[in-house]
Amino acid sequence: MTERLYYADSYLTEFDATVAKIDARGRVALDRSAFYPTSGGQPFDTGTLGGLRVTDVCVEGGEVWHEVEGALEVGQAVHGSVDWPRRFDHMQQHAGDHMLAGALYELTGATTIGLHVGPEISSIDVDMPRGETHLPQEWIDRLENLVNARVQENHPIRCWFPAPEELARLPLRKDPTVREHVRVVAMGDFEMVACGGTHPSSTGQIGPVKIISAAPARGKLRLSFLAGMRAWRELQRNYERAHAAARQLSTGVEELPERLAAALARLKDAEFELGRLRREHLLDGAAEMLAGAEALPGGARLVCAEVGADMAGLRELASRLIKDGSAVALLASAAGERRDLLFARSADVDLSMSALLKRAAEPLGGRGGGKPDFAQGGGPATVLAAAREILRRGERP
Ligand SMILES: [Zn+2]
């Protein structure tokens, strides 16, 4: 069994040990180790062992196993060195989890059922008393305020292995998952729970704790958060983003929401006006299109055109083209591989537009349907030319 040096001192980064075992995969077990193995939602430590990079650490059968880049020998004396910035970051996230879980339990009676310290964000999964999977913003604020106040009050954090009789008397937030060698962590007088993880020695070192989302996950509530330098860096990033956005609008960050809302309102008005002008322009062109129309064998006028408009615009234009009688309009939107297609005819033209559209589009991979006088669909631009040829030949589709 590896003696776990981080139990007694989570600040220990340099240690000397002896290689006790090497398994078939070349993983190394020591007589004692300060390397934290992935467990309880906290990721493993990295660093060096005998000068070799440690790339993974896990716990199996009571031993802490180190994966190293290179070979060591059983009995070899090695010096271990733990990557402190990574470890301390994990300590901040992990202790931040305790603070949130403890405060949420106090405020709502919720039970925390899982913790995950990710490379960027950390999260806790919470079983809420009435099965809620959302947390109102007001509660998030209360939770954050309570946790960050306790961080600033800099309460001591203590870890120890109580004797069974002491353990039985301790007001733990939830029952331990192990029966023997139960390690307890206590933060001030507000959080006490069994835990084998690494923690700073006081709450002030956790730094700011910021909840970044409270959303349903696997039927429970998942709180995602940042603690310590992660929260600080996020504050810096958001400060820069907010100022960059404010500069674009030539305003200060304080006025940003109002100025943005006003700019979006102007944009909406402008888009509406642009749409109106485009339609007007399109309809103004209808007379010119009819003047340049070709005569079909039956005498009707044929307008066949690609038009810079969506389906609604095509419909409006087609209605205008066929309004005065004796006209056929074959229209396609102007951009993209698959175009909107709209075929329409005046009431006095005896041709089926739905049949024409089907016949012209289907061999080209397009499709469409509708009524004899008004049909719509989609397909390549070549459908227009195919339909025009059918009508030019005087065929009845
Ligand atoms: Zn812990």
Side-chain angles (χ1 to χ4, degrees), residues 80-141:
S81 182
V82 173
D83 174 6
W84 176 245
R86 176 179 162 96
R87 156 67 80 76
F88 189 62
D89 169 55
H90 291 165
M91 283 161 60
Q92 288 184 313
Q93 310 312 312
H94 175 79
D97 145 58
H98 277 289
M99 299 291 280
L100 283 171
L104 197 58
Y105 176 72
E106 192 177 317
L107 292 175
T108 70
T111 312
T112 298
I113 49 175
L115 156 75
H116 177 68
V117 174
E120 278 161 26
I121 60 169
S122 306
S123 59
I124 53 173
D125 287 348
V126 181
D127 200 355
M128 293 291 282
R130 282 177 295 282
E132 302 96 315
T133 52
H134 288 93
L135 204 58
Q137 187 58 45
E138 185 196 337
W139 279 89
I140 293 177
D141 293 346

Side-chain angles (χ1 to χ4, degrees), residues 94 98 185 195 197 199:
H94 175 79
H98 277 289
V185 56
C195 184
H199 314 88

Side-chain angles (χ1 to χ4, degrees), residues 17 22 194 241 347 397:
I22 295 178
R241 288 172 187 139

